[in-house]
Amino acid sequence: MTADLLDVLVVGGGPVGLATAIEARLRGLTVTVVEPRHSAGADGGAAGSAIDKACGEGLMPGALPALARLGVDPPGFALRGVSYRSLNSRGVETRVDHRFASGEGRGVRRTALHDALAERARSLGVDVVGGKVDALEQDATSVTAAGIRARYLVAADGLHSTVRRLTGLERPVAARGRRYGVRRHFRADPQTDLIEVYWTPTVEAYVTPVGDGVVGIAMLGRKGLDFDAALAGIRPLAALVAGAEPASELRGAGPFRQSTTRRSVGRVLLVGDASGYVDAITGEGIRVGLAQAEAAIDCIARDDPAGYERAWKQRTRDFRVLTAGLVAAANSPLRAAIVPAASALPRVFGAVVERLAR
Ligand SMILES: Cc1cc2nc3c(=O)[nH]c(=O)nc-3n(C[C@H](O)[C@H](O)[C@H](O)COP(=O)(O)OP(=O)(O)OC[C@H]3O[C@@H](n4cnc5c(N)ncnc54)[C@H](O)[C@@H]3O)c2cc1C
């Protein structure tokens, strides 16, 4: 817009940062992404080696039209619903299945999602540079970080956002009840087209096929959760991976809960996990992050950064309320009753899944 000043500097080239950059280009804004793990492609553009991250890799149905709007259609495995399962001490299974009424979801390897977003960003002329933001300055008309000056800065630098801390938007979170996630992939044929979630007394194990005969298993639980021990204790999963070749290294992330006092200050806006995160228990991070990216760029395009706060609250409300409620139940003595209750009330379970799937 202003001839010699970049419109948007995006900090972080994960899925939400790249989606933000694509949104900006679709609005005709100039944009540069700064990402420490970036290695430039042959043409120096946004291609380069794909960024991996610990993730359950289940895209809920609402994420696919949001990606399609951006011109992104990542390859993966069609997911048609969610199945909650638990085993009692005698190995008897309780389960409840809900098939999405709102369309298909998709299991997508993070590297495949990164490739698809990076390729689309490159085709739209997004500039990605290697670098890590560790300081920023803003005045009435611009923000400067990593030696780049722009009219606006959108921080998509993840769960442990540096920008959130630098701008004083971070709200400390109690250490009690902190939860983490660990994932690994195996070469195995999918057993179902549902996202299976096994509830044990200490972990939730998510099984998500991602295509090409690869299945991801993500475990969520308390600090120090032992992936292999938990896997061995869940008989159907132990059988699934018996003799299967691992297709990735163990990778973890957390603590999940990250909070913010507000989502913008001056010309800096927070999106994705950087803007605050509840938990991976509902598999919602990407869908919610895409909605935040759209809202942030909409506000920037209208020169109304302050309007982002309202849009952020509106677009994240269901995720915050339902995810926090489920985490509270999972951390309480009610934990053992979650799958039996969902199984006894399949319509309620289905309604909650549909709400999150939108
Ligand atoms: C175990 C687990 C399971 C999950 N399962 C699911 C699921 O099934 N479905 C789903 O939708 N979501 C899931 N999530 C959540 C999802 O992974 C996140 O919500 C999503 O990755 C958020 O994307 P993001 O771009 O905001 O952050 P990230 O993906 O974390 O990307 C942040 C980027 O910022 C960069 N960066 C960091 N610091 C700086 C800096 N100082 N300067 C510049 N760049 C920086 C990083 O290198 C990184 O590339 C899961 C998460 C976990 C941990």
Side-chain angles (χ1 to χ4, degrees):
M1 287 195 180
T2 307
D4 53 352
L5 190 57
L6 183 71
D7 289 319
V8 185
L9 173 60
V10 177
V11 179
V16 181
L18 289 173
T20 304
I22 294 168
E23 289 280 1
R25 290 299 301 136
L26 293 176
R27 295 282 194 131
L29 304 174
T30 53
V31 59
T32 293
V33 177
V34 186
E35 164 59 52
R37 290 188 282 167
H38 173 70
S39 58
D43 58 357
S49 54
I51 296 177
D52 205 354
K53 177 191 174 285
C55 186
E57 301 178 332
L59 295 183
M60 291 302 244
L64 294 177
L67 285 168
R69 235 195 81 250
L70 300 178
V72 176
D73 184 19
F77 185 91
L79 298 170
R80 300 205 163 79
V82 178
S83 177
Y84 266 24
R85 302 168 186 204
S86 65
L87 300 161
N88 71 10
S89 53
R90 281 171 287 119
V92 178
E93 186 181 78
T94 302
R95 80 184 255 184
V96 55
D97 295 353
H98 177 76
R99 291 196 166 261
F100 297 130
S102 45
E104 275 176 14
R106 196 177 294 170
V108 177
R109 192 69 182 84
R110 282 294 290 228
T111 43
L113 180 61
H114 181 269
D115 279 344
L117 285 161
E119 173 53 29
R120 177 65 171 147
R122 190 196 58 73
S123 75
L124 291 169
V126 171
D127 200 15
V128 181
V129 297
K132 191 172 166 100
V133 167
D134 54 12
L136 69 82
E137 279 174 26
Q138 65 168 320
D139 57 33
T141 55
S142 68
V143 193
T144 306
I148 302 168
R149 188 163 162 256
R151 291 171 54 236
Y152 289 99
L153 183 150
V154 179
D157 52 345
L159 218 46
H160 305 290
S161 168
T162 300
V163 174
R164 183 176 69 214
R165 186 169 42 77
L166 291 172
T167 49
L169 293 175
E170 182 147 306
R171 187 204 296 273
V173 174
R176 202 164 49 89
R178 274 183 178 165
R179 283 164 47 87
Y180 297 76
V182 188
R183 71 89 178 105
R184 188 163 206 189
H185 298 86
F186 297 88
R187 297 208 175 280
D189 288 328
Q191 298 171 313
T192 168
D193 56 4
L194 304 176
I195 304 168
E196 297 168 276
V197 187
Y198 289 87
W199 286 74
T200 80
T202 53
V203 303
E204 304 97 57
Y206 289 69
V207 186
T208 311
V210 292
D212 290 333
V214 173
V215 170
I217 299 182
M219 305 260 186
L220 314 183
R222 295 294 175 85
K223 191 175 181 121
L225 81 88
D226 182 335
F227 184 91
D228 291 331
L231 193 61
I234 305 171
R235 230 182 29 214
L237 294 193
L240 176 73
V241 303
E245 194 189 320
S248 67
E249 298 298 316
L250 265 184
R251 201 182 261 266
F256 289 138
R257 186 95 177 89
Q258 304 290 335
S259 189
T260 39
T261 50
R262 278 182 301 141
R263 271 47 62 174
S264 68
V265 55
R267 295 180 163 269
V268 176
L269 291 76
L270 307 181
V271 293
D273 289 3
S275 70
Y277 191 62
V278 183
D279 200 278
I281 202 163
T282 47
E284 283 264 285
I286 304 287
R287 189 192 63 79
V288 172
L290 295 173
Q292 294 166 349
E294 183 188 0
I297 292 301
D298 182 54
C299 291
I300 286 173
R302 290 187 286 104
D303 255 330
D304 177 26
Y308 178 56
E309 182 65 14
R310 195 155 155 243
W312 184 92
K313 283 187 173 152
Q314 193 209 342
R315 300 207 185 196
T316 60
R317 187 170 297 123
D318 281 2
F319 165 67
R320 287 182 284 121
V321 171
L322 294 172
T323 306
L326 188 53
V327 170
N331 275 343
S332 80
L334 288 177
R335 180 180 179 88
I338 291 174
V339 179
S343 166
L345 299 166
R347 285 192 180 193
V348 175
F349 176 70
V352 172
V353 172
E354 285 304 320
R355 188 99 195 173
L356 290 164
R358 283 185 312 184

